[in-house]
């Protein structure tokens, strides 16, 4: 029987940090798009970039789930109260739900838009609309509902990520265990608590 890994695989680590950086970029771009007055061309480019990164995160989330199903994550060896383990489990599940729901609702809102603006990922790859939504009779109302769901979902995701990052930093700096180091790249990150100076 194989010995459980002490840390995440390199692929899991890369996908984790690519998605994390993408989400930070999406949050910043989203706030700029909705709260900063920009020339129409700049706004159009930001929307295209926002959509491009969103679809990238959706694809990365599918890859992450597929990889996770074939590569068991490392076991939490640190002593944790049952409620903390349950909180970690459910926060991860909610994060995964949000990582799929946010890009999909954004994609749906774009697909239902009465403006019919095409999506071209990173200015290179044409991306299709979701089926049915472009043919709705009341596209403007559908777009508004989908945008509201997307906006509220974005703030929910930001809250989940803050809680997730806060818990990881608490483990690293307060409890001084290996929880965060399991997801950090590099050989030094692989050190366990016992071997750390």
């Amino acid at each position: 029987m194989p010995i459980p890994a002490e840390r995440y695989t390199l692929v899991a680590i890369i996908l984790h940090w690519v998605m994390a950086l993408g989400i930070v970029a999406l949050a910043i771009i989203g706030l700029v798009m909705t709260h900063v007055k920009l020339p129409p061309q700049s706004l159009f480019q930001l929307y295209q970039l926002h959509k491009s990164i969103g679809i990238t995160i959706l694809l990365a989330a599918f890859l992450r789930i597929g990889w996770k199903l074939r590569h068991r994550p490392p076991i939490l060896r640190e002593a944790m109260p049952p409620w903390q383990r349950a909180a970690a489990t459910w926060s991860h599940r909610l994060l995964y739900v949000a990582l799929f729901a946010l890009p999909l609702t954004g994609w749906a809102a774009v697909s239902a838009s009465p403006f019919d603006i095409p999506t071209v990922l990173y200015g290179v790859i044409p991306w299709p609309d979701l089926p049915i939504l472009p043919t709705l009779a009341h596209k403007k109302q559908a777009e508004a509902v989908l945008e509201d769901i997307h906006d509220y979902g974005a703030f929910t995701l930001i809250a989940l990520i803050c809680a997730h990052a806060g818990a990881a930093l608490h483990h690293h700096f307060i409890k001084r265990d290996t929880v965060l180091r399991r997801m950090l790249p590099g050989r030094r990150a692989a050190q366990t608590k016992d071997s750390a100076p």
Side-chain angles (χ1 to χ4, degrees):
M1 195 168 176
I3 299 171
E6 292 293 332
R7 59 196 307 262
Y8 287 90
T9 63
L10 179 61
V11 171
I13 291 170
I14 290 170
L15 287 171
H16 176 275
W17 291 108
V18 164
M19 292 167 72
L21 291 172
I23 290 164
V24 170
L26 284 177
I28 294 169
I29 293 169
L31 290 170
V32 171
M33 289 188 317
T34 54
H35 293 90
V36 178
K37 190 170 178 62
L38 295 170
Q41 184 60 30
S42 298
L43 189 60
F44 172 80
Q45 290 171 347
L46 270 185
Y47 267 98
Q48 290 292 336
L49 181 58
H50 187 84
K51 292 187 286 184
S52 299
I53 297 172
I55 294 297
T56 301
I57 287 177
L58 178 62
L59 297 175
F62 277 111
L63 287 173
R64 181 76 178 90
I65 287 288
W67 188 262
K68 187 173 184 177
L69 290 173
R70 294 183 61 85
H71 301 81
R72 292 178 64 91
I75 296 170
L76 276 174
R77 299 189 183 280
E78 283 73 28
M80 270 188 192
W83 72 267
Q84 284 187 0
R85 287 181 176 268
T89 298
W90 279 101
S91 67
H92 276 91
R93 288 175 182 172
L94 289 172
L95 276 169
Y96 276 111
V97 169
L99 287 170
F100 285 100
L102 262 292
L104 286 171
T105 54
W107 186 7
V110 168
S111 301
S113 173
F115 297 108
D116 295 322
I117 298 172
T119 297
V120 183
L121 303 184
Y122 303 105
V124 176
I125 305 168
W127 191 258
D129 288 331
L130 286 169
I132 300 171
L133 293 172
T135 62
L136 292 176
H138 304 286
K139 293 174 72 174
K140 189 171 183 178
Q141 292 90 329
E143 180 192 31
V145 170
L146 289 164
E147 282 184 347
D148 283 345
I149 295 170
H150 186 72
D151 291 345
Y152 285 115
F155 286 111
T156 302
L157 177 58
I158 290 168
L160 286 169
I161 288 171
C162 288
H164 179 71
L169 293 172
H170 173 79
H171 276 279
H172 190 71
F173 291 108
I174 307 299
K175 298 186 78 172
R176 303 187 69 80
D177 57 27
T178 65
V179 168
L180 176 61
R181 285 196 292 271
R182 299 179 316 154
M183 188 51 89
L184 292 177
R187 293 182 64 181
R188 290 185 64 190
Q191 289 180 324
T192 62
K193 181 180 177 182
D194 295 333
S195 63

